[in-house]
Amino acid sequence: TSEISLLSEMLSDATQLSEERVSKDKISRLGPGDIGPPKQQPAAAPKPEKKKDPNAIWDDDEVSEARILSSVPKNDNRARPKYDVRYRQKIKCDDAIGAPWSVQDNSSMSCSELIVKVEMPGTKYSTVKLDVTTREMLVQSPKFLLALPLQEDVNPDKGGAKWDSDKCVLEVVLPIVRGLNFAHPSLLDDPDFKPPPMEP
């Protein structure tokens, strides 16, 4: 045991010596700029915004590699379920009776939501996985796979979904997002619509 205690003392002495050397090295490297509180690192400069090509057909975000549909393997052999995509309008009494001051019409441009119904017979709700982005929807279960590009921009954060366990049908309601260049009288009744600022 005496050999172990001697060895332990030697190691603790060596550790103490190396710590003293490190602190002496730090002190010897101090200069006038080290006086005062520690300096903060400058914030990283923001990345310059990439200029858009006026001749481009698509924006970069429209053909992003991070798309959920591109994550589906091409050799996935799950069945494609039956599905139905419909537009839905939010109408008021005036719109229903055709009042002359109504701004709604029968076109899809007056619609505010997309309704997607997906039939998956023999599927349990707990096995269904749903992913939605601005332009895509991916529905998966052990038997079925539906990779669906959407015909309108939608807000996936404000959407909703419900499962009909009797019919094994998933219903997804997605609010349509209209761009600033979209102009239709029905927007006058939309409380979420914010018109672009007027130019002087």
Side-chain angles (χ1 to χ4, degrees):
T1 58
S2 63
E3 291 176 359
I4 293 177
S5 61
L6 287 172
L7 183 60
S8 173
E9 286 176 23
M10 285 175 38
L11 289 174
S12 66
D13 289 344
T15 305
Q16 187 177 3
L17 283 172
S18 67
E19 289 173 358
E20 287 174 6
R21 283 186 193 141
V22 168
S23 65
K24 283 181 182 177
D25 287 345
K26 286 182 181 176
I27 293 172
S28 65
R29 283 188 253 146
L30 291 177
D34 296 317
I35 298 173
K39 294 179 181 165
Q40 295 180 354
Q41 295 292 329
K47 292 182 180 177
E49 237 182 80
K50 191 175 180 183
K51 291 185 179 180
K52 292 188 177 184
D53 181 4
N55 297 324
I57 299 172
W58 294 285
D59 289 336
D60 288 340
D61 58 345
E62 292 178 311
V63 289
S64 168
E65 291 299 320
R67 293 177 31 206
I68 58 173
L69 299 188
S70 60
S71 67
V72 177
K74 294 189 187 292
N75 59 356
D76 194 317
N77 57 4
R78 287 179 281 181
R80 184 173 187 165
K82 289 183 181 178
Y83 69 94
D84 183 38
V85 180
R86 295 184 185 202
Y87 285 87
R88 180 162 69 185
Q89 291 184 355
K90 290 183 180 177
I91 61 171
K92 299 176 186 157
C93 294
D94 293 345
D95 304 321
I97 61 171
W101 54 85
S102 171
V103 293
Q104 296 283 352
D105 59 27
N106 294 334
S107 73
S108 62
M109 296 177 87
S110 291
C111 296
S112 57
E113 295 174 330
L114 278 182
I115 311 292
V116 184
K117 290 187 178 182
V118 185
E119 298 176 22
M120 296 185 283
T123 302
K124 292 184 180 180
Y125 169 72
S126 60
T127 63
V128 176
K129 183 180 177 194
L130 172 65
D131 293 304
V132 180
T133 63
T134 307
R135 288 300 297 241
E136 300 172 324
M137 187 172 97
L138 181 63
V139 181
Q140 301 180 69
S141 76
K143 294 182 193 175
F144 298 103
L145 171 69
L146 176 63
L148 186 65
L150 300 171
Q151 59 264 43
E152 301 281 353
D153 284 345
V154 298
N155 185 341
D157 298 328
K158 290 189 177 179
K162 65 181 179 179
W163 177 255
D164 184 340
S165 55
D166 295 334
K167 298 178 183 176
C168 295
V169 173
L170 176 69
E171 181 178 314
V172 183
V173 179
L174 299 166
I176 297 172
V177 177
R178 302 292 187 187
L180 292 177
N181 295 330
F182 179 79
H184 192 267
S186 63
L187 290 176
L188 299 173
D189 285 345
D190 186 354
D192 293 332
F193 176 69
K194 294 175 184 67
M198 299 293 282
E199 293 182 13

